[in-house]
Each structure stands twice: as C-alpha cells, then as structure tokens.
Amino acid sequence: MSRVRIVGGEWRSRLLDVARVPGLRPTPDRVRETLFNWLGQDLDGLNCLDLFAGTGILGFEAASRGAEKVTMVEYDPRAFGALKQAAETLRASQVEIIHGDAVKFLQSTPRKFDVVFLDPPYRQGWIERVAPLIDRIMQPDGWLYVESESTVTHLGGWQTVKQGHAGQVHFHLMQGTQK
C-alpha cells in the first residue's frame, strides 16, 4: 500500500494509506499547494465536496485547512475502506464519506457546496456526464476545481479563472458566470 502526505493545515505532514486501485492517482503535492494558494489557506466555515474522492487527499486537505464540512463520494469499495480508515485515524469528525455513484449523488443531494473538487478517472467521460448537474449543487459564489487529462475552459456555467499543468495533469479553478 502506498501513502500520500497532507501538505498543509492542522494535519500537515500526516501520511494516509492509499488503496491499491487501478487508475487511482493522488493529486501531486505541488498541484495541491497551488490549488490551496488559489483558494486561500483558510477554508473556515466552507462546505466542500470531493466528488470522485479516490485517495481523499483533496477533501482531507480541505478539512485540515478548516472546512466546516467535507463530503467525499467514492464508488470503489477498496478506496472507500481506505477513506473510512483515514478519517478514523485523523479523527476527522467533519468528514462524511459516502459509498456510491457520483452521478446519482449529484442527482439526489439537496445540499449546496462552496467548493467542489472534481477529479474523476481519466478517459471515461465523467466530466461530460456530471457537467449538467454541477450548477444544482454549487453555491453561486463557489469554486469548482477540475483535474483532467486535457485543458477545460468551461463546464456548464463555470469558467476557468486559473489553470496549470503538471505532468499528465491539467488542473483548473473555475467560477460561475451566473453571478
């Protein structure tokens, strides 16, 4: 089993076990540092969603930096188990982990989120599938973070305001145009 390190906040430098799941790729440290510099290091009071949680590192980083609530959705049972174990190890009471399908979650949740982390498996069309559902779960002044295998200029009513590239990862911070 490999491990991933939390880079900032209350749990800085803590290592979390990562389940051996084909295609699971933790967001690199450098990319996370850039993302949380963009968002601001302090996420106090924010409600965050890590939609394709995988390793959960984006959600755990948000919780470590003060997010009031972090919801993680993961379909793979091995990754889900590793997420539950990590939350217990960290005593992360603000983290809710849901074992389920991302699209069904988006279709059924009544909640709105301030920050959504969207880092789905590559080359499976997930971004296109969830794009029509993003608006219904986002706060109008929220932030949408997208990782993909290629550049994304917009997603539904959300436009890229900052972007970067590291190795095979293209990462984007988006804001809504419906403000």
Side-chain angles (χ1 to χ4, degrees):
M1 189 171 277
S2 64
R3 302 179 102 189
V4 65
R5 179 179 62 93
I6 295 174
V7 297
E10 176 185 352
W11 302 320
R12 182 179 185 183
S13 299
R14 295 288 301 268
L15 293 171
L16 303 177
D17 290 332
V18 175
R20 289 180 195 254
V21 176
L24 194 64
R25 46 179 175 64
T27 300
D29 288 9
R30 188 179 120 229
V31 172
R32 281 183 277 129
E33 287 171 1
T34 300
L35 165 62
F36 286 98
N37 284 336
W38 289 345
L39 288 173
Q41 296 296 323
D42 182 3
L43 301 182
D44 280 354
L46 297 183
N47 188 8
C48 302
L49 171 64
D50 191 348
L51 188 57
F52 294 86
T55 67
I57 194 60
L58 293 172
F60 287 122
E61 287 280 0
S64 182
R65 295 161 193 265
E68 183 174 312
K69 178 84 171 168
V70 176
T71 303
M72 297 183 186
V73 179
E74 178 53 47
Y75 185 77
D76 184 275
R78 291 167 295 179
F80 174 76
L83 292 171
K84 294 290 275 185
Q85 182 60 52
E88 287 175 22
T89 298
L90 294 170
R91 294 187 179 110
S93 60
Q94 72 276 51
V95 175
E96 173 189 20
I97 304 169
I98 297 171
H99 184 229
D101 178 85
V103 172
K104 289 179 182 173
F105 176 83
L106 290 178
Q107 290 170 335
S108 65
T109 188
R111 292 185 270 175
K112 298 277 188 185
F113 298 93
D114 301 297
V115 180
V116 172
F117 303 108
L118 182 59
D119 180 14
Y122 288 176
R123 296 171 196 46
Q124 295 182 22
W126 283 110
I127 291 177
E128 295 77 13
R129 280 186 256 177
V130 301
L133 303 169
I134 292 295
D135 285 345
R136 72 177 296 280
I137 57 113
M138 293 292 302
Q139 293 288 4
D141 59 347
W143 294 99
L144 176 62
Y145 171 76
V146 179
E147 273 187 39
S148 65
E149 64 273 17
S150 59
T151 301
V152 178
T153 57
H154 66 281
L155 193 65
W158 298 82
Q159 296 290 325
T160 297
V161 293
K162 296 185 181 207
Q163 64 185 352
H165 178 261
Q168 296 180 357
V169 177
H170 292 262
F171 52 102
H172 316 80
L173 188 63
M174 301 179 147
Q175 281 191 307
T177 56
Q178 69 279 5
K179 287 185 181 180

